[in-house]
Amino acid sequence: MSLSRAVASALGQCLVSHQKHQRREGRTKEVVRKKTSFLFSSADGKIKKKRTMERKSDRISTGASSSSSFEPVIVDIGDGTNDNNDLSKGGGRGGGKGGGGSWFGGSNKKKEDDDDDNDDYSDRFNGLFKFLLLALLFRQAVISALDKLHEPSYDDANNTEENDGDQQQQRKRREKKKTSACAIVIPALNEEENIELLLVQIHALRPQPSEVVVAVGDSTDNSAKVAEKYGAKVVRGKRGRSRQMNAGVHALSTHPKNVLFLHADTIPFPDILNVVDETMRDAKAIVGGFISLITTDKKTYWAMSYHNVFKSDFYTAILYPKRYVLGLKLLFGDQGIFCRLNDFEAVDGYDETLPIMEDADLCIRMQKYGCSKKKSTTSCVRLVDRVITTSGRRIESMGGNLKSTLVHFLIGGAWGIFKVKGDGLLWLYERFYGWNERGEKSKQEKKKRRK
């Protein structure tokens, strides 16, 4: 007798525990559904409706006479009292017509609908995940295929072991050279606080650049004095990054083979000039740049840094698919753009009508020049797998990662999709890039008025 009671008690506890587990699982699915509902469209409601109709037809075909799909579980413990029989009379735990089901919770219609909803959203989420995974795999396959097409081509290349040894010796001699065949041009506008750190780093480069030119535009601070202090040639003129970089190139007196453009708040790695010279030995290379890591004193903007790398391929593939296959990538100034001096002069340098996006515009024109004038099937913009650091102060001034990304999307879309140039692009530049400066000026004016 006691054994049968113990068995019945254990069975009841197991059933109750199972019911609690089902309720907990249902709540978890509901939370996941609400959190991920924005990923899915309402059009998929047709699936839910179809499943509901199938379930109703199944119920009609089975001819169920009650709302419960399971008969109550009756356990006879053999003591003559058998309280569990009350389950079949509707007065126990969810039994009979009024109880709503067995210890398993019966076949609650609302619960079944919720389960169907959860299954629908799970299927959609799995479908989205599979799509993203396939997109990444496809992207990797395309890049691998293009890598073979864009494989470097060197004029002195030879497959013999003898020539391989000669090339290694030549590479070692180039690395030991005290002066590179590359000059550095730095556009700077009121950058006395940042340019000194860059010039100190340039003095530590091995090999040294053939020449350093700092184009200060119409700066009103001590940028020119700081540059002269470290032996750089200073060029004055109108402000505007395109104008300043063109003026810096025109001021070069050593006639270098290659030119590297560095922003005043960018810090290069020690052997950057060797990497530039070695990259430009490739006959297919027309322009190059590096991976920029955006940092401040307090944090590193990892998401924005990855976005810079991602957009070099992704944006190009969307805006210029044919050119992308032929080797085009869109690079930007904080990536340390470099090229051959002769090629730069052949396309007349930077477009001085562009206050922004001048770097991407240069990449497009030089890639076209490389394919047409040099009669080459491919002319490649190289993204070198080396890291330079650049300041994240502009991101902070725009309000962080999200706002700055939206601003870049807006300006890049206006330039790339709607072909906005000149005054229109200048208005966007001043509206979004200058908002922090205007805000600070207005605050200062308000303080003066109060005083």
Side-chain angles (χ1 to χ4, degrees):
M1 187 71 68
S2 61
L3 179 61
S4 61
R5 286 179 180 275
V7 170
S9 176
L11 179 60
Q13 290 179 2
C14 290
L15 294 174
V16 172
S17 176
H18 178 72
Q19 189 177 10
K20 288 181 178 180
H21 175 72
Q22 283 187 329
R23 286 198 299 268
R24 193 183 305 113
E25 185 179 14
R27 287 194 298 269
T28 303
K29 288 182 178 180
E30 181 68 17
V31 171
V32 173
R33 183 183 68 81
K34 290 181 179 180
K35 294 292 185 182
T36 59
S37 61
F38 70 94
L39 295 173
F40 315 109
S41 63
S42 59
D44 291 332
K46 295 179 180 179
I47 300 174
K48 174 186 171 183
K49 187 175 180 180
K50 183 179 178 181
R51 291 189 179 183
T52 303
M53 296 299 293
E54 290 176 354
R55 186 172 61 254
K56 286 182 178 179
S57 63
D58 290 341
R59 286 177 182 172
I60 294 172
S61 63
T62 54
S65 59
S66 67
S67 61
S68 175
S69 60
F70 293 95
E71 291 297 328
V73 176
I74 302 175
V75 179
D76 188 358
I77 60 175
D79 60 350
T81 58
N82 197 0
D83 295 334
N84 292 324
N85 288 331
D86 293 338
L87 295 172
S88 62
K89 299 177 182 178
R93 300 178 186 175
K97 294 181 180 181
S102 68
W103 282 358
F104 287 94
S107 58
N108 191 314
K109 183 178 179 181
K110 183 178 179 181
K111 184 176 179 181
E112 288 180 358
D113 292 341
D114 290 342
D115 289 342
D116 288 339
D117 290 344
N118 293 336
D119 291 341
D120 291 343
Y121 282 108
S122 297
D123 292 342
R124 292 174 216 165
F125 183 81
N126 291 336
L128 178 62
F129 180 78
K130 290 177 182 178
F131 171 77
L132 293 175
L133 182 61
L134 289 174
L136 289 173
L137 291 175
F138 178 74
R139 175 182 177 272
Q140 189 60 40
V142 171
I143 290 176
S144 299
L146 292 180
D147 283 344
K148 294 181 180 179
L149 180 64
H150 302 157
E151 189 175 1
S153 173
Y154 300 102
D155 294 336
D156 56 352
N158 200 315
N159 293 327
T160 62
E161 294 181 2
E162 235 176 286
N163 262 339
D164 285 343
D166 293 342
Q167 289 177 27
Q168 291 178 2
Q169 290 178 3
Q170 291 175 8
R171 189 178 297 109
K172 288 179 180 178
R173 289 193 210 103
R174 285 194 295 268
E175 290 175 354
K176 290 180 180 178
K177 285 175 61 177
K178 293 183 178 179
T179 304
S180 168
C182 180
I184 296 177
V185 174
I186 306 168
L189 185 65
N190 298 326
E191 292 281 5
E192 62 177 330
E193 295 181 0
N194 297 296
I195 197 170
E196 184 170 9
L197 181 60
L198 171 59
L199 292 172
V200 168
Q201 186 67 23
I202 288 175
H203 271 275
L205 297 180
R206 293 294 181 270
Q208 281 286 290
S210 61
E211 195 173 356
V212 179
V213 177
V214 179
V216 297
D218 58 356
S219 296
T220 56
D221 65 352
N222 295 322
S223 297
K225 292 182 179 179
V226 174
E228 290 172 346
K229 173 185 173 183
Y230 288 90
K233 181 184 289 186
V234 175
V235 178
R236 295 184 180 276
K238 293 182 179 180
R239 70 170 58 194
R241 207 153 48 201
S242 298
R243 294 190 187 95
Q244 290 174 237
M245 288 188 286
N246 285 341
V249 171
H250 293 324
L252 293 173
S253 58
T254 58
H255 303 289
K257 186 177 181 180
N258 305 316
V259 182
L260 169 64
F261 298 94
L262 290 176
H263 288 183
D265 55 0
T266 299
I267 304 298
F269 52 91
D271 62 334
I272 188 171
L273 297 179
N274 269 334
V275 175
V276 170
D277 290 340
E278 191 67 24
T279 302
M280 297 317 296
R281 285 183 57 244
D282 175 15
K284 290 183 179 180
I286 193 74
V287 183
F290 303 97
I291 297 171
S292 62
L293 185 63
I294 304 173
T295 64
T296 62
D297 294 336
K298 297 180 180 179
K299 64 182 295 185
T300 298
Y301 288 93
W302 296 105
M304 197 67 183
S305 300
Y306 177 75
H307 175 255
N308 278 353
V309 178
F310 182 72
K311 68 185 179 183
S312 295
D313 280 300
F314 186 69
Y315 290 179
T316 313
I318 292 176
L319 297 174
Y320 306 96
K322 182 179 178 181
R323 289 287 168 190
Y324 179 68
V325 174
L326 297 178
L328 177 64
K329 285 183 174 66
L330 298 181
L331 302 180
F332 300 89
D334 55 7
Q335 293 177 273
I337 290 180
F338 57 87
C339 61
R340 299 181 188 90
L341 179 60
N342 292 337
D343 295 338
F344 182 83
E345 292 175 341
V347 298
D348 297 325
Y350 285 100
D351 185 351
E352 296 185 1
T353 64
L354 296 175
I356 194 172
M357 303 299 294
E358 73 283 350
D359 308 293
D361 174 77
L362 178 71
C363 292
I364 294 172
R365 290 188 291 112
M366 290 197 71
Q367 198 272 340
K368 289 180 180 179
Y369 165 77
C371 288
S372 59
K373 300 295 182 182
K374 294 190 174 186
K375 298 180 180 180
S376 174
T377 54
T378 57
S379 181
C380 303
V381 178
R382 300 292 190 194
L383 180 60
V384 182
D385 193 13
R386 295 291 296 273
V387 176
I388 60 176
T389 59
T390 189
S391 173
R393 55 186 176 157
R394 287 189 181 274
I395 296 177
E396 287 186 338
S397 69
M398 281 187 255
N401 263 323
L402 180 59
K403 287 185 179 180
S404 61
T405 301
L406 291 175
V407 169
H408 291 155
F409 266 120
L410 176 62
I411 295 178
W415 169 81
I417 300 174
F418 300 103
K419 308 301 180 184
V420 177
K421 293 186 178 181
D423 294 337
L425 206 58
L426 180 62
W427 181 86
L428 286 173
Y429 177 80
E430 292 177 346
R431 173 68 181 85
F432 292 103
Y433 271 75
W435 65 359
N436 192 53
E437 295 177 3
R438 289 197 302 273
E440 289 179 355
K441 288 180 180 178
S442 63
K443 289 179 182 178
Q444 292 174 0
E445 289 176 358
K446 287 180 181 178
K447 288 181 180 179
K448 290 180 179 178
R449 290 174 186 173
R450 289 175 183 175
K451 292 179 179 179

